[in-house]
Amino acid sequence: MNVLKNYWELGSRVADIVEHVLALPEPKLILPTGSTPLSLYKELVNRQLDWSSVTTYNLDEYVDNTIQDQSYRYFMVENLFKHTNMDEDNIYFPGDTAVWPQMDYGIGVDLCLLGIGGNGHIAFNEPGSSFQSETRIVDLTEETIKDNSRFFPTIDDVPTQAVTMGLKSIMSSKKIVLMVSGEHKLNIMNVAMAGEVTESVPASILQNHKNVKIYYCE
Ligand code: F6R
């Protein structure tokens, strides 16, 4: 595990890894939304890298979201995509069902970036998700709905379902970087990375991956 001085250093260190991957021919990335990757996206924008041949897949997207500026597509456009030279045709979200087979089979992802939920979820694979899971629609747990309500006017506006890449799909990435920001995530991170590998803690599946790096800051 890499312990960083602060949130900005976390963004900068992970940006080094992304920059390296972007130099590969036709790189493919899986990207998260949320609070954790914001310093990374800011740093990537500042570096003005060449994204012209990059393909990105986002981990998840809400279903039946009525507040458009809380959609994960909007988040990505505002925080990263619109500041780069990315080809719009190379940006994929799992809300589009036509993309599911691509996400699940053989897309040869070079790097998957992840955050972790307070209950150990990765993407929206909530506790109890099968380690064999693929892209699908899931019900969000009460804890996740509560966590996400900080971005919505009231808790009743938070979507209760999402489309998420599955755990099996995520594990097929060549390299995975788990970003963890905040002391409140320390315990779940330790449980996931040093405790039992169990579907009750979805992130624990990462212990079975050969190329995972964890970046943590308080
Ligand atoms: C979002 C995603 C989620 C978040 C997790 C942590 O695309 O995949 O698993 O990574 O809920 O969210 P933050 O970073 O807001 O604490």
Side-chain angles (χ1 to χ4, degrees), residues 9-27:
E9 199 186 334
L10 180 139
S12 170
R13 287 287 295 279
V14 179
D16 292 345
I17 299 173
V18 174
E19 187 168 352
H20 191 75
V21 169
L22 257 48
L24 298 171
E26 304 198 351

Side-chain angles (χ1 to χ4, degrees), residues 7 31-38 41 58-61 72 75-76 113-125 144 147-148 150-151 164 170 178-179 181 184-185:
Y7 182 57
L31 301 174
T33 60
S35 311
T36 311
L38 278 173
Y41 293 155
N58 262 83
L59 284 165
D60 36 23
E61 179 59 284
Y72 285 178
F75 174 100
M76 290 306 302
L113 301 173
L114 295 173
I116 185 170
N119 61 5
H121 73 217
I122 47 175
F124 276 137
N125 295 286
T144 298
D147 282 352
N148 294 351
R150 68 194 194 276
F151 300 114
T164 183
I170 290 169
L178 174 66
M179 295 177 283
S181 165
H184 62 296
K185 297 268 183 85

Side-chain angles (χ1 to χ4, degrees), residues 85-122:
N85 62 344
M86 276 198 71
D87 179 346
E88 272 184 36
D89 291 343
N90 292 340
I91 296 173
Y92 295 101
F93 277 82
D96 173 4
T97 51
V99 170
W100 292 11
Q102 265 191 71
M103 290 185 158
D104 291 332
Y105 305 109
I107 49 175
V109 167
D110 299 292
L111 174 64
C112 172
L113 301 173
L114 295 173
I116 185 170
N119 61 5
H121 73 217
I122 47 175

Side-chain angles (χ1 to χ4, degrees), residues 24-59:
L24 298 171
E26 304 198 351
K28 293 193 174 81
L29 299 178
I30 296 178
L31 301 174
T33 60
S35 311
T36 311
L38 278 173
S39 63
L40 164 68
Y41 293 155
K42 218 170 176 45
E43 176 67 20
L44 288 172
V45 170
N46 284 343
R47 291 190 192 189
Q48 302 213 320
L49 304 169
D50 179 13
W51 290 78
S52 56
S53 65
V54 182
T55 300
T56 64
Y57 297 86
N58 262 83
L59 284 165

